[in-house]
Amino acid sequence: MSRHNGLILRTSDVSNFDQKYSIFTEKFKLIYIINDDTTNLQTTIDYLHTKHPDWNKYTIIQSTELTRSDIEYVVKFDDLLELTNIPSQHIYILLTMENINSTESWHQYNIFKLNNHHHNFSLALEYTDTTVSIENFQYWLTEPISFILFPTTSTTSSSTPDFIFNIFQQKSIPIPLLIIEDIPQYEQKLLYLKNISKPHYQYYSQPLQPLVEDLSMGIYKQFESDNTKYNQYQQAFELAISDLTRLKLPRIKILIIGPGTGKLIDKLWKVLDKKLLPNYDILAIEKNPICVPILNEKNTKSWNNKIQIINQDIQKYTGDNNYNLIISELIGSFGDNELCPEILSQFNQPRPDLIMIPNSYTSFLQPIYTPFKIKKISLIKLGNYYPISQPQEMWNWNHPGEYELTQTKSLTFANAQGYKISGFLGWFECTLYGHVQIQCHDVNLGNYCKSWYPIYFPIHKSKLKPNQDLLVEFNRINNGENVWYEYKFLNKVYNQHGVSYCMSLQHS
């Protein structure tokens, strides 16, 4: 189907066809017939046939009489279930806003599709002023949507479908074809709204391997643009320094692991300057050689040469472990997928005079369906998907604290409305220190950090039944050389032995 706007002809308005058709060839590539007077349907078809012998190639008919095999038909959702003879050609199922808001309609649609799986369907929307439930709409948006219909009953309204366009935008879906009746009144405004409602992009990439590959300056700049993260770190530093000061230690020893180009130290320096802390030592260990000259320059210009900077892999560090404050930003999108538990294990023995930032983090998992095709474990900025069940906690890491580096968890999810599953979405929630937290999932919370994308664990797309319990077995495996996740769903094991994704413990 062309993505140009369509011209609407009503069979009840045959007398005005010449006037309307005169603008068809100039502005439109599609004719949309609304069969609101069945006695005139054949007259309408005869009229179009006189205009062009191939009229049927650019015409679709909204009707319950699906009699021709050379036409694509539009059937209202409420009429769909009454059909007995469904033709073999493509059919557009026209949803109202009321249908979208109805959970029952979603179930009816999926059952109909299951019973007629050999037919070719796609969805279309009929716009009305009814407010749409975004929670319900997200299910429908994972299905192909061919066009939005704006009949006279909607175009005479003073409202505009900004909220519908915004949902398409947020879900990273291009706004489909617009078929508009009463063109002079409504066309320009709708087309303007469509043009400015560009979809957010969906993005995915392979997870970072910071122990194996040194990060580029471009990645550091992207990370350091996350003001929420560093402001939260600064709050955590203030709480930690205040608590350590109360211990009346003769000297506070601070270790910073992986400071990158120094933004963490900048935030720490502001706190130390504010607290007027007299006696402290700071050691920064950074393995990436491109960062060290930047750190040295900042040390001279901004930090009064108070920072001892070592260019070394922290895993090879054999110096003093008796620090009072250990700071790092080694958390990955899933919490532990950049090997934070392994890297910090040598410092993790609890002591009354030891604070580690981050203090703890928890991994979460949620089954989802997305039409977006991803075959490997990836970091993903995903718009068009629906959750199948509520997220559940996987495992938790505490610093300092004792833990096993190999973890196993089985989770059972209750499926309410999902009929398909494509994979599992994972993310972290982290307590830096005290009440200060960060997370990478809920953009509506003030502690959301944009520099992490959730992680996605794909599976073979599978059909589901409502109220079906979904069991997934998840393993985090550390064999001393590599760390990887294996997960089992519907008797199939994914990423076995880390075949498509594993994290190396050896720095190249």
Side-chain angles (χ1 to χ4, degrees), residues 219-416:
I219 292 177
Y220 282 116
K221 287 180 180 179
Q222 179 184 342
F223 288 169
E224 292 181 356
S225 69
D226 190 346
N227 292 326
T228 298
K229 175 175 72 171
Y230 290 103
N231 290 339
Q232 294 295 94
Y233 262 94
Q234 183 173 332
Q235 289 187 44
F237 295 160
E238 290 178 353
L239 292 175
I241 294 297
S242 294
D243 287 350
L244 289 172
T245 302
R246 292 189 190 97
L247 296 178
K248 300 187 184 306
L249 301 171
R251 200 166 191 84
I252 295 177
K253 299 177 65 177
I254 301 172
L255 173 64
I256 304 172
I257 300 172
T261 59
K263 193 159 185 177
L264 269 184
I265 303 179
D266 288 335
K267 294 296 185 180
L268 176 64
W269 192 256
K270 286 183 179 180
V271 174
L272 296 176
D273 189 50
K274 178 181 177 182
K275 297 288 186 182
L276 300 176
L277 197 66
N279 300 313
Y280 59 87
D281 297 314
I282 302 177
L283 172 63
I285 300 179
E286 173 56 56
K287 75 173 183 64
N288 193 340
I290 68 172
C291 294
V292 175
I294 299 171
L295 292 172
N296 286 332
E297 183 179 3
K298 282 190 171 183
N299 200 19
T300 301
K301 293 182 177 180
S302 304
W303 306 327
N304 298 335
N305 289 312
K306 291 283 190 178
I307 316 296
Q308 181 186 357
I309 298 167
I310 297 178
N311 182 199
Q312 187 180 32
D313 184 346
I314 190 63
Q315 295 182 106
K316 298 177 181 178
Y317 175 71
T318 57
D320 183 14
N321 280 0
N322 193 30
Y323 289 93
N324 308 112
L325 178 59
I326 298 176
I327 299 166
S328 65
E329 50 176 331
L330 304 171
I331 300 173
S333 295
F334 201 44
D336 56 40
N337 63 298
E338 293 185 16
L339 305 176
C340 190
E342 282 76 10
I343 295 170
L344 295 181
S345 60
Q346 61 180 304
F347 305 102
N348 220 36
Q349 187 64 36
R351 300 193 325 265
D353 61 348
L354 172 61
I355 293 173
M356 297 179 73
I357 299 175
N359 179 240
S360 67
Y361 42 96
T362 302
S363 306
F364 288 84
L365 200 69
Q366 182 176 42
I368 68 165
Y369 173 73
T370 178
F372 201 38
K373 295 179 181 179
I374 307 158
K375 295 182 178 180
K376 294 183 178 181
I377 296 173
S378 302
L379 305 183
I380 184 164
K381 181 181 175 66
L382 189 61
N384 189 15
Y385 74 96
Y386 64 73
I388 292 169
S389 185
Q390 293 297 313
Q392 293 189 38
E393 182 177 318
M394 286 287 289
W395 39 64
N396 177 265
W397 307 91
N398 291 282
H399 302 293
E402 297 181 358
Y403 47 71
E404 296 293 330
L405 295 172
T406 291
Q407 298 276 341
T408 299
K409 190 73 174 272
S410 294
L411 297 175
T412 300
F413 295 94
N415 173 32

Side-chain angles (χ1 to χ4, degrees), residues 419-439:
Y419 283 83
K420 291 180 283 188
I421 182 172
S422 62
F424 295 85
L425 203 61
W427 63 88
F428 74 84
E429 292 180 4
C430 169
T431 297
L432 293 174
Y433 185 66
H435 67 277
V436 183
Q437 297 182 324
I438 56 175
Q439 51 87 23

Side-chain angles (χ1 to χ4, degrees), residues 13 127 159 201 215 310 319 331 379 406 429 493:
D13 193 29
Y127 174 76
S159 68
Y201 67 91
L215 303 181
I310 297 178
I331 300 173
L379 305 183
T406 291
E429 292 180 4
V493 178

